[in-house]
Amino acid sequence: MKVLIVDDQRLMREGLAALIGLEPEMEIVGTAIDGRDAYAKALEWKPDVVLMDIRMPGMDGIEGSELILKHIPETKILIMTTFDDAELIIRVLETGIHGYLLKDMPSEAIVSAIQTIYNGGTVLQSDITAMLLNEFKKISESNLDKTNPLSTKETVALAALTEREKEILALLGQGLNNKEMASILVITEGTVKNHVSNLIAKLGLRDRTQAALFAVRHQALI
């Protein structure tokens, strides 16, 4: 697995490189200092996974990620940052980025996140989702519905969900993983996985991260 590290801080680049270098199945193909540099090096090295900071001088991580995803769609992108602004997180997720992780996570969690998105999964920390929910709770339900209305297609798709699928969609919006949802609903993890796949397909979403974002934005309607 080829990994590209993008951060404007040298210490962070070197620290992540040292951490990932301990993993035998991971190879650091290079580092970059901003979004434009990341895009240029991604074109050259074709990394499997890009660890991308957001706040950088010049082109930021979101713009760089958009370029990479447009021109090298097979590359997976994991945002890593200390920044936890709700609106920025929504912007990140809407670009199609595969995960969002805060830099203060334990090293094993960072490695696990890289492996998860490389294998086709997504990563969204539960505390980040909780923060999004808290932001939306500050808005009245009427205002939330006006600012985040469902399209006709989304309304039909949401109505097609079973009650169990709606339960699981709501739990996704709380950032819970399959094991946690299975424990709460007293069903197997395999059953949860099937329900997640079904509701994602019915809603026409890309993955469980987008499903979690959908749940957060439209929690009053679920």
Side-chain angles (χ1 to χ4, degrees), residues 5-10 12-13 32-36 38 51-65 77-92 97 100-103 131:
I5 297 171
V6 187
D7 200 293
D8 61 316
Q9 296 183 17
R10 179 180 177 182
M12 181 58 65
R13 293 195 303 271
I33 60 173
D34 65 15
R36 192 177 303 280
L51 299 187
M52 182 78 77
D53 188 22
I54 293 182
R55 295 294 191 187
M56 294 179 288
M59 181 180 287
D60 68 24
I62 298 178
E63 292 176 287
S65 296
I77 297 180
L78 176 64
I79 290 290
M80 292 192 63
T81 185
T82 57
F83 201 68
D84 57 0
D85 179 83
E87 291 184 5
L88 186 61
I89 295 171
I90 291 172
R91 185 182 163 207
V92 166
I97 288 168
Y100 190 110
L101 200 66
L102 297 180
K103 289 179 178 178
M131 184 268 293

Side-chain angles (χ1 to χ4, degrees), residues 69-81:
L69 291 172
K70 179 179 180 180
H71 297 283
I72 322 171
E74 64 274 16
T75 294
K76 312 291 186 181
I77 297 180
L78 176 64
I79 290 290
M80 292 192 63
T81 185

Side-chain angles (χ1 to χ4, degrees), residues 77-208:
I77 297 180
L78 176 64
I79 290 290
M80 292 192 63
T81 185
T82 57
F83 201 68
D84 57 0
D85 179 83
E87 291 184 5
L88 186 61
I89 295 171
I90 291 172
R91 185 182 163 207
V92 166
L93 296 178
E94 288 177 335
T95 66
I97 288 168
H98 304 85
Y100 190 110
L101 200 66
L102 297 180
K103 289 179 178 178
D104 61 359
M105 292 297 290
S107 57
E108 59 269 22
I110 296 174
V111 170
S112 176
I114 295 170
Q115 293 170 331
T116 295
I117 67 168
Y118 174 72
N119 291 322
T122 55
V123 175
L124 180 62
Q125 283 182 235
S126 58
D127 54 346
I128 293 176
T129 303
M131 184 268 293
L132 284 172
L133 285 168
N134 288 333
E135 288 295 314
F136 282 123
K137 285 175 182 176
K138 297 176 183 177
I139 307 171
S140 67
E141 288 191 6
S142 59
N143 286 337
L144 179 63
D145 291 346
K146 290 175 183 177
T147 55
N148 295 290
L150 288 172
S151 66
T152 301
K153 182 178 179 181
E154 288 174 329
T155 300
V156 172
L158 187 58
L161 297 185
T162 65
E163 288 305 310
R164 178 64 86 190
E165 287 166 350
K166 289 181 180 178
E167 287 180 321
I168 289 178
L169 179 60
L171 293 175
L172 279 173
Q174 297 175 35
L176 301 186
N177 60 35
N178 289 354
K179 183 177 181 180
E180 291 167 333
M181 288 190 283
S183 176
I184 290 172
L185 299 174
V186 195
I187 55 180
T188 67
E189 288 185 56
T191 300
V192 170
K193 183 177 180 180
N194 289 336
H195 283 310
V196 170
S197 296
N198 289 339
L199 71 87
I200 287 173
K202 287 181 180 180
L203 293 174
L205 302 174
R206 179 173 59 85
D207 51 41
R208 65 186 294 136

